Amino acid sequence: MPDQEHPPPSDRARALVTGAYDTHVHIAPDVMERRVDDVTLARRCAEVGLAGFVLKSHYVPTAERAEVVRGIVPGVDVLGALTLNGSVGGLNPGAVEIAGRQGARVVWLPTVDSRNQRDSRAEAPPGATPPMWAQLQDELAEQGIMAPAIDVLDPDGGVVPALRQVLTLIAKHDMVLATGHLSGPEIGAVVAAAGEAGVRKIVVTHPEFTSQRLPVETQRELAARGALMERCFTTPHSGKVTWERLADHIRRVGPEHSVLSSDLGQPFNPPVEDGLALLADKLLEYGFSDDEIRTMAVTNSRALMGSR
């Protein structure tokens, strides 16, 4: 059924993202309300020509769940992940090893439990939509069971030993390292350590998000080390950054150093399977070429996910 509240993407944009992976979605089952469940989304991706997607949860591993969905909807490459927040033991090498053995594709460093996210005083622009996880975090705090903030650096600015173990395991299993909700200085130190550990694929998670807001110069430095900048549809759609600034950052860092994702799944946002194409439509408005959009949406997402 057509979505009356959210107009669909253009046919041109839909064609440009055909064959892409959406590397960042939040869908059901989850601990909060989501717009769509994983099996339904897989079927919709098949209908619109997307190659697959990565199941992201802030709280639980998703590799087992992804394998089940792949069995139900063959032909759509649904991939699992792990986010190193308190609910899985934080910077837990054991959790990373198990996720790697189960075929998880992405490991996010701490998000909601990162020291930076906890300490962030960055204010969202007026009218910006707050993240759904904020309410859950508040509820955990009220019950006295919120996990301690997770530090990724030691007092001297080096990565902590547990993180070095985590990076070694990510390299061993050839998983993608995503930087989560770390700060700019933390991301710089982690990317350097990841390179030393042999990690081959690194994504800087939504550098325009409220608790990141990485300057273009920092993004360029990270891109020079081989990291891809993740450009999420929801960051400007929810008002956390302007579309103009997002487009400017992509242009100045270089489209070849960006990968598009939706970060969708919230019940009040557009359909998840439309996210990449809607983002493509916006980038077309800002003068990006078909080839540039296809590089960001398809070429780079397939390189991360191990597809040809």
Side-chain angles (χ1 to χ4, degrees), residues 36 110 130 169 176 222 283 305:
V36 66
L169 293 168
V176 177
L222 294 166
L283 295 178
M305 297 303 111

Side-chain angles (χ1 to χ4, degrees), residues 73-145:
V73 190
V76 177
D77 197 14
V78 180
L79 299 170
L82 176 69
T83 306
L84 297 178
N85 285 318
S87 57
V88 300
L91 300 175
N92 181 353
V96 176
E97 174 66 12
I98 296 303
R101 293 189 184 201
Q102 291 182 315
R105 193 74 195 102
V106 181
V107 175
W108 271 273
L109 294 184
T111 57
V112 299
D113 291 331
S114 70
R115 172 68 65 185
N116 177 61
Q117 185 62 61
R118 292 287 182 83
D119 292 349
S120 177
R121 297 294 180 266
E123 293 187 7
T129 305
M132 290 186 70
W133 48 259
Q135 180 178 348
L136 176 55
Q137 290 293 100
D138 289 344
E139 291 171 359
L140 294 176
E142 289 171 5
Q143 295 177 62
I145 55 175

Side-chain angles (χ1 to χ4, degrees), residues 191-228:
V191 169
E196 295 170 0
V199 176
R200 295 176 52 245
K201 298 174 182 178
I202 303 172
V203 174
V204 176
T205 308
H206 45 48
E208 284 77 34
F209 192 75
T210 313
S211 55
Q212 279 65 67
R213 290 183 175 169
L214 301 186
V216 166
E217 294 73 20
T218 300
Q219 294 188 34
R220 283 175 169 167
E221 292 170 3
L222 294 166
R225 298 185 198 173
L228 286 172

Side-chain angles (χ1 to χ4, degrees), residues 92-302:
N92 181 353
V96 176
E97 174 66 12
I98 296 303
R101 293 189 184 201
Q102 291 182 315
R105 193 74 195 102
V106 181
V107 175
W108 271 273
L109 294 184
T111 57
V112 299
D113 291 331
S114 70
R115 172 68 65 185
N116 177 61
Q117 185 62 61
R118 292 287 182 83
D119 292 349
S120 177
R121 297 294 180 266
E123 293 187 7
T129 305
M132 290 186 70
W133 48 259
Q135 180 178 348
L136 176 55
Q137 290 293 100
D138 289 344
E139 291 171 359
L140 294 176
E142 289 171 5
Q143 295 177 62
I145 55 175
M146 181 184 279
I150 299 168
D151 291 300
V152 298
L153 303 183
D154 61 31
D156 296 323
V159 300
V160 297
L163 180 51
R164 288 199 182 276
Q165 287 183 283
V166 162
L167 295 175
T168 298
L169 293 168
I170 291 173
K172 169 188 170 183
H173 292 285
D174 195 26
M175 294 187 285
V176 177
L177 169 68
T179 58
H181 292 195
L182 305 186
S183 67
E186 289 173 326
I187 292 169
V190 165
V191 169
E196 295 170 0
V199 176
R200 295 176 52 245
K201 298 174 182 178
I202 303 172
V203 174
V204 176
T205 308
H206 45 48
E208 284 77 34
F209 192 75
T210 313
S211 55
Q212 279 65 67
R213 290 183 175 169
L214 301 186
V216 166
E217 294 73 20
T218 300
Q219 294 188 34
R220 283 175 169 167
E221 292 170 3
L222 294 166
R225 298 185 198 173
L228 286 172
M229 305 299 114
E230 180 194 32
R231 313 300 183 179
C232 292
F233 171 79
T234 56
T235 311
H237 180 75
S238 63
K240 295 177 180 65
V241 68
T242 64
W243 284 105
E244 290 81 1
R245 180 166 292 183
L246 180 74
D248 177 65
H249 285 187
I250 295 172
R251 180 62 67 202
R252 291 167 66 190
V253 178
E256 68 275 17
H257 300 299
S258 290
V259 62
L260 305 186
S261 73
S262 75
D263 198 6
L264 282 172
Q266 306 79 14
F268 45 81
N269 275 335
V272 181
E273 67 276 12
D274 288 350
L276 292 182
L278 290 170
L279 181 48
D281 267 328
K282 276 293 187 180
L283 295 178
L284 287 170
E285 290 179 21
Y286 285 93
F288 289 91
S289 71
D290 287 14
D291 286 345
E292 288 171 330
I293 292 171
R294 192 149 180 87
T295 293
M296 293 185 280
V298 181
T299 304
N300 288 346
S301 74
R302 292 177 74 87

